[in-house]
Amino acid sequence: MDRYWRSTLRGLAILLPLMIILALAVHMARRPAGSASGDFAPLQPEALALGDAAAPTPRPFDPNTADVFDMTAAGMTRRQAVSVIKYREAGKIYRIKEELLTVYGMTDSTYRAIEPYIRIGEQYRLRPHSYGSDTLPERSARRTRTLCLQPFSFDTLRGEHLRHMLGFTLRQAEAFDAYIRRRGAIDSYESMRECYLLDIWADTLAPYAAYSAPRPADTFTVPVELNGADSAALRRIYGIGEKSVTAIMERRRRLGGFCRAEQLAEIKEVTESNYEKILQQICIDTCKIQKIDVNFATPEILGAHPYITPRILRRLLKQRQLKGGWSAIEEMTEQGILTDGEAERLAPYLRFDTSTRD
């Protein structure tokens, strides 16, 4: 037995140094080339941050294509970023940076923080009109040689006269009539220059013009209240046509009324260019909104509302059957029926009657 242990110890005495030499050889082979003995490769920053989420780095974004994460990284709140995307999905195109100031919930301080990172793509930017090789004065001077000019009074001047005198298109003539209705009158050379349609023609028309006395604007230029307007009142709004009238009234019926002018952007028949014009001619009385009693309304009434999706309806009906009702919309968000964004959109259309019905 002693002989066995002595042979075992001799084997270990030979094997251990060999294992140590082998381990050192493997270690040296794995070290980077050119590193001095005794040096250790520095720990990389990625290794130090392993498992930690990197803080978002602000970077340029295009509001026409950016996702929520790009916009929140630049300084927006999630709600503001979602509002940008909602308008975009409804057909909105951001032509200039400043249009983000019209987004629901956007503040001046947030806009100033994100402004350096906003980049409008080339395909979305506003472009100056191109008139070929002619400058505006040259183009205007050449056309005056074939104009049908005669003395006129601005008190009676209408778009149809400008079509005959200056060769206006039908669209330009209609735009001039709308400008006169909004402003009231053109009573001086300076006010003629202020009219964007007549600016380049002012010097040409001046010898023939007789200015009218100031008069009040037409009564229908007073803002139209959107929730109480009939089809005739809506047609008087410059920018709303026959198809738009029908679509707006149908959307108003399904919603129960408009609570914000921005909801018009959700209607596909309202184009972007007309949307900007319409906003200047309307107002909204939210007291006329027809609210839904969420605690007692039938599934058919609830499901007909545009902002109540099938997913929301299923959760609402299930929880209402268990709980019996709610006293405030915050309870619905706490129970996971609505997200914060959905609650914000639906709040103006819900009321919470907690009295018992027979």
Side-chain angles (χ1 to χ4, degrees):
M1 184 64 70
D2 291 340
R3 185 182 305 167
Y4 171 77
W5 284 111
R6 283 197 298 272
S7 61
T8 301
L9 290 174
R10 280 196 301 272
L12 289 174
I14 296 171
L15 183 60
L16 283 174
L18 291 175
M19 292 178 64
I20 293 172
I21 293 170
L22 180 61
L24 287 173
V26 171
H27 174 70
M28 294 299 293
R30 290 182 177 177
R31 293 184 59 192
S35 62
S37 60
D39 292 342
F40 294 93
L43 192 60
Q44 297 299 318
E46 302 90 76
L48 293 173
L50 189 61
D52 296 334
T57 302
R59 55 184 178 272
F61 70 93
D62 185 342
N64 295 293
T65 57
D67 58 23
V68 170
F69 303 104
D70 289 335
M71 290 186 279
T72 53
M76 285 190 195
T77 65
R78 286 180 179 271
R79 184 168 296 179
Q80 291 165 346
V82 170
S83 294
V84 171
I85 294 175
K86 284 180 182 177
Y87 288 176
R88 198 168 73 201
E89 291 299 317
K92 172 69 175 174
I93 298 176
Y94 298 92
R95 305 289 188 185
I96 58 176
K97 294 181 179 182
E98 289 75 11
E99 285 188 278
L100 285 175
L101 283 167
T102 65
V103 171
Y104 182 75
M106 181 65 67
T107 62
D108 291 345
S109 59
T110 300
Y111 176 77
R112 281 193 290 267
I114 67 173
E115 192 272 338
Y117 304 104
I118 303 172
R119 303 287 187 273
I120 304 297
E122 183 66 28
Q123 67 272 36
Y124 304 114
R125 294 178 191 167
L126 283 176
R127 294 181 177 85
H129 292 291
S130 174
Y131 297 97
S133 60
D134 297 334
T135 62
L136 281 177
E138 292 170 347
R139 187 168 178 259
S140 176
R142 189 176 69 253
R143 291 186 63 182
T144 57
R145 291 195 291 269
T146 58
L147 297 180
C148 302
L149 296 178
Q150 54 189 344
F152 67 93
S153 170
F154 271 111
D155 190 43
T156 58
L157 185 66
R158 294 294 180 267
E160 62 185 58
H161 302 142
L162 293 174
R163 294 188 70 186
H164 174 70
M165 292 170 60
L166 304 179
F168 270 28
T169 65
L170 176 61
R171 187 176 183 86
Q172 288 173 316
E174 292 174 346
F176 176 79
D177 289 339
Y179 177 87
I180 294 298
R181 288 197 297 268
R182 290 196 300 272
R183 194 182 191 286
I186 293 178
D187 52 16
S188 65
Y189 174 81
E190 289 72 21
S191 62
M192 180 165 56
R193 293 299 300 267
E194 291 175 2
C195 176
Y196 66 98
L197 290 161
L198 296 181
D199 181 24
I200 65 172
W201 301 103
D203 293 333
T204 302
L205 293 175
Y208 301 90
Y211 300 105
S212 56
R215 61 183 176 84
D218 292 347
T219 55
F220 62 81
T221 60
V222 174
V224 175
E225 199 288 302
L226 203 57
N227 285 332
D230 58 14
S231 58
L234 290 174
R235 286 190 188 94
R236 290 200 297 266
I237 299 175
Y238 180 59
I240 293 183
E242 192 66 35
K243 291 182 179 179
S244 303
V245 168
T246 303
I248 289 171
M249 295 186 72
E250 174 62 17
R251 186 67 173 183
R252 183 178 67 185
R253 182 191 67 79
R254 294 188 63 203
L255 284 170
F258 295 100
C259 64
R260 299 186 305 275
E262 291 81 2
Q263 289 174 293
L264 290 175
E266 301 172 0
I267 304 172
K268 66 179 181 179
E269 286 80 3
V270 178
T271 64
E272 181 190 357
S273 58
N274 286 340
Y275 171 74
E276 301 295 340
K277 301 170 187 173
I278 293 169
L279 290 184
Q280 304 172 20
Q281 306 172 64
I282 62 172
C283 61
I284 292 177
D285 183 358
T286 55
C287 294
K288 294 181 180 179
I289 291 177
Q290 299 177 4
K291 298 192 175 187
I292 300 174
D293 186 349
V294 71
N295 290 330
F296 296 99
T298 64
E300 291 75 19
I301 292 176
L302 292 167
H305 197 281
Y307 293 163
I308 299 180
T309 63
R311 176 188 60 81
I312 294 175
L313 182 62
R314 288 194 299 271
R315 293 181 179 181
L316 188 153
L317 294 175
K318 180 180 180 180
Q319 194 64 29
R320 187 174 71 175
Q321 186 177 10
L322 296 173
K323 186 179 186 298
W326 304 270
S327 58
I329 199 166
E330 289 77 13
E331 297 177 18
M332 301 178 75
T333 58
E334 291 171 1
Q335 295 171 8
I337 299 172
L338 301 173
T339 64
D340 290 340
E342 291 166 343
E344 182 181 0
R345 287 208 306 171
L346 272 171
Y349 299 103
L350 302 181
R351 61 186 176 89
F352 298 85
D353 187 355
T354 56
S355 60
T356 304
R357 294 189 180 182
D358 296 332

